[in-house]
Structure formats: C-alpha cells, structure tokens
Amino acid sequence: MEYIMETHNLVKSYKNKTVVNSVNIHVKKGEIYGFVGPNGAGKSTVMKMLLNLTQPDSGDVYIFGEKIGSTSYECRKRIGSIIEHPYFYEKITGRKNLELHCEYMGYHNTERIDEVLKLVDLQDIEGKVVSHYSMGMKQRLAIARAILTKPEFLILDEPINALDPEGIREMRMLFRRLNQEFGITIFISSHILSEVEQIADTVGIIQNGKLLKESSMIDIRKSQTDYIELEVDDISRAGYLLEQKFGITNFKVISGTKIEIYDLQKSVKELSALLVQNGIGIASIGMKKNSLEDYFFHIIEEV
Ligand code: ADP
C-alpha cells in the first residue's frame, strides 16, 4: 500500500502528561482522511509534529516516503497547511497577502494567484483589505494560500471550525474539488463528525492522545445498522405494546417521546398501522441509518 503520510509510534508529552501516545496514522495517496476526536484529544499536536512545528519525544513522521526532520525543505514545498488560526497581514488586501507568501516561498507565478483566488471564489473582493473579511472569507484565503504552490498534500487543522452552515458547505465543495479535480490528498481534522462523514474516505479516531481506530468510510457504512425511529405521545404504552403485543424486544427508549427500534421484523407501514390501531398518536416514524457520530461513540465506549 502506498501511503503519502505515515506516523510511526508518535509520542509527545507536556509536563509529564502524554498528549500523543504511540500514534500510527496511515494516509493513502489521493484520499481525504478525516482525523476526528474531541477537543483536547491531541489532533493539533499531531498536526504540528507532521509539519515539524513541534518535535515528537519519540516516533517518526514519513511524508512522500521521506522521514521528516528539521531539514526536510523539499518535502515541505510539496505540502500545504492550515494550522490553528490562519494569520494574515490585516491591513493589506488578500491578493497582496498571497503575493507576500509567494515571495516568502520563492514561488514566482502571479498567474497562479489569479487561479487560486478564483478557485476559492475570492476573485471579486480581492481589493478588500483582510481586516474587512468575514470569517468564511479569511478561511477561504487561508486555503488559497495553502494551495498557492500547488501542493500534493494538504494538512488542514479544523478548517471549518467557527464557520456558518453556508461557509461549511462551501468548504466541503472546495475540498472535494481540490481532491477530485486536482488530485490533492487531504488530511483534515475536525470535531464536526457530520461533515467528516460527507467528505472523508478514511477516518481516524483519536481520544486522550490514542488513535483508537482507523477505518474506511465504506467499512463504517457497511457496519452501520438501519433502524426505525419512532416518536409517539405515550412512550410507556408504546414500549409495552412493542414488547408484549408485537413481540419486539430489541428497541431503545431514547427520550420521553422517542424510541429506536433495531428489530426490523415489521415494516414502518405495518408498525404505524398497529400502533395507531392501539390508540398511540405518532408524531413521526421512519427508517434511519447510524451516523459516523454513532460509530464514533461506539468506538469510544469500547475503550
Ligand atoms: P486538539 O487539537 O485535539 O483539541 P491539542 O493537540 O490541541 O488537542 O491538545 C492536546 C492536549 O495537549 C491538551 O490537553 C492540551 O491542553 C495539551 N497541549 C497542547 N499544546 C500544549 C503546550 N504547548 N503546552 C502544554 N500543553 C499543551
């Protein structure tokens, strides 16, 4: 298997607290890898180690097959990144910021600036100074900067954090495009699982500094069960009917009105007819599939 990025037993401690504990990540060339975990799980620390911004106590990072160290300049040129809050010179325009970045990187191609501004849809406001940008615009400018030098691999730390739903949707489309159209491999961290679920090919779950699981979204989807979600006016009577009258025992009461039924011997249609016949008022009923969030909590509970 060809991995564009691998970590081997990565360890990092701060003040005797191990915040990254023997982490082994495997990112395949061409994929979008979602690195998920709650706040404080160790995601940013791992990402900083990938970019050599923080040194591991032990373990190694390999990117493009090369062991990353303080002199991996050539390797770094092939990587784009956003780590923590992207900083810009606020009093100048987005375009000027990109020009400065080109100079800093020794990359002289002004046409590329036009290309990336268009790609992130900032071409019409390129004259605006950055201090007047919205959060979403700044995030898009950060992506523009990260892809300016045509990287093969993008490392994005919580890039959709603090964006509104429209901004998140735009980012999702942009990431898909960068991945599919331009073949960029993307390693993206997020704690917004519903988003990761929509774009990732592989998901790595980290908690308390430990990588608990790496799975492909295909396998996760295969393992996800269907169930019937039911909302009723009388939960205890509905529960009684399911068990005593319809012989359905595999269900879970989720709240004062909601039940999840995993035993699918009766269809949604049959079940709603039976409940109504027995005087239960149904607010809603339908088939559901477990989400990445359910999978995530299942993995975390197993530990
Ligand atoms: P995440 O990105 O998943 O939210 P982080 O990698 O930022 O998690 O943090 C993991 C843990 O390491 C947290 O407990 C955090 O407080 C701690 N940590 C991160 N950076 C430092 C630092 N420079 N000094 C001390 N502790 C740190």
Side-chain angles (χ1 to χ4, degrees):
M1 175 62 69
E2 190 183 357
Y3 296 117
I4 206 164
M5 191 277 276
E6 274 178 89
T7 68
H8 293 181
N9 296 317
L10 219 48
V11 176
K12 179 79 187 172
S13 300
Y14 287 116
K15 296 180 199 136
N16 298 328
K17 188 184 167 215
T18 307
V19 298
V20 173
N21 194 347
S22 239
V23 164
N24 294 299
I25 297 171
H26 306 85
V27 180
K28 292 185 209 106
K29 192 172 186 320
E31 73 172 348
I32 299 183
Y33 186 115
F35 190 38
V36 301
N39 283 333
K43 301 184 295 297
S44 289
T45 308
V46 166
M47 291 178 126
K48 283 183 199 153
M49 289 192 279
L50 301 182
L51 292 162
N52 206 43
L53 299 171
T54 299
Q55 267 65 51
D57 296 338
S58 61
D60 297 306
V61 174
Y62 289 84
I63 302 182
F64 308 120
E66 187 188 318
K67 191 163 140 180
I68 295 297
S70 54
T71 55
S72 307
Y73 305 117
E74 288 309 310
C75 209
R76 282 295 309 275
K77 281 188 188 161
R78 296 163 68 192
I79 304 170
S81 64
I82 304 180
I83 300 291
E84 293 184 331
H85 302 288
Y87 287 102
F88 296 102
Y89 298 101
E90 296 269 329
K91 294 204 167 92
I92 57 175
T93 63
R95 169 179 285 275
K96 192 75 197 156
N97 267 278
L98 297 183
E99 281 170 8
L100 286 175
H101 187 69
C102 275
E103 262 176 49
Y104 171 71
M105 297 293 285
Y107 186 84
H108 303 290
N109 181 348
T110 43
E111 277 171 27
R112 180 65 183 158
I113 295 180
D114 293 319
E115 259 173 46
V116 292
L117 283 170
K118 194 153 176 255
L119 204 63
V120 301
D121 203 20
L122 284 179
Q123 71 273 33
D124 296 331
I125 53 123
E126 61 181 70
K128 214 191 242 282
V129 295
V130 172
S131 58
H132 294 160
Y133 274 29
S134 68
M135 192 74 177
M137 287 163 157
K138 276 191 190 166
Q139 212 58 16
R140 296 210 303 266
L141 187 61
I143 302 273
R145 186 167 63 186
I147 59 172
L148 199 51
T149 56
K150 300 194 177 176
E152 294 152 64
F153 185 37
L154 264 185
I155 297 177
L156 306 174
D157 188 11
E158 298 271 1
I160 54 172
N161 211 357
L163 292 185
D164 60 17
E166 178 57 18
I168 292 178
R169 199 180 70 89
E170 284 172 6
M171 281 290 159
R172 187 197 316 139
M173 292 192 310
L174 180 59
F175 297 151
R176 278 212 191 105
R177 205 168 157 212
L178 293 174
N179 176 248
Q180 286 165 14
E181 229 174 278
F182 302 95
I184 304 177
T185 308
I186 304 180
F187 184 71
I188 177 173
S189 75
S190 182
H191 62 275
I192 308 175
L193 298 176
S194 54
E195 273 307 309
V196 172
E197 182 168 30
Q198 291 184 62
I199 55 167
D201 300 297
T202 300
V203 173
I205 297 177
I206 185 168
Q207 194 198 25
N208 295 330
K210 283 197 176 149
L211 192 75
L212 303 181
K213 188 109 180 162
E214 270 187 323
S215 317
S216 75
M217 271 311 297
I218 292 177
D219 286 344
I220 294 175
R221 287 199 185 98
K222 269 192 215 150
S223 73
Q224 286 169 332
T225 47
D226 291 320
Y227 62 91
I228 296 172
E229 189 182 80
L230 174 65
E231 269 194 279
V232 289
D233 58 356
D234 186 344
I235 198 95
S236 46
R237 192 165 143 67
Y240 165 82
L241 288 169
L242 286 177
E243 204 162 342
Q244 303 298 327
K245 276 197 112 171
F246 315 150
I248 296 172
T249 52
N250 192 5
F251 65 87
K252 193 166 158 188
V253 176
I254 301 297
S255 68
T257 55
K258 203 180 271 180
I259 301 180
E260 287 181 2
I261 302 165
Y262 310 108
D263 178 343
L264 300 178
Q265 54 171 297
K266 295 215 180 335
S267 69
V268 168
K269 205 170 153 191
E270 286 167 337
L271 205 57
S272 43
L274 281 169
L275 288 165
V276 171
Q277 279 161 22
N278 284 275
I280 299 288
I282 298 176
S284 71
I285 183 166
M287 289 301 295
K288 287 264 165 129
K289 209 170 183 59
N290 276 329
S291 61
L292 177 59
E293 191 169 301
D294 298 315
Y295 179 80
F296 177 82
F297 284 113
H298 174 68
I299 296 294
I300 281 182
E301 276 165 18
E302 267 186 356
V303 183

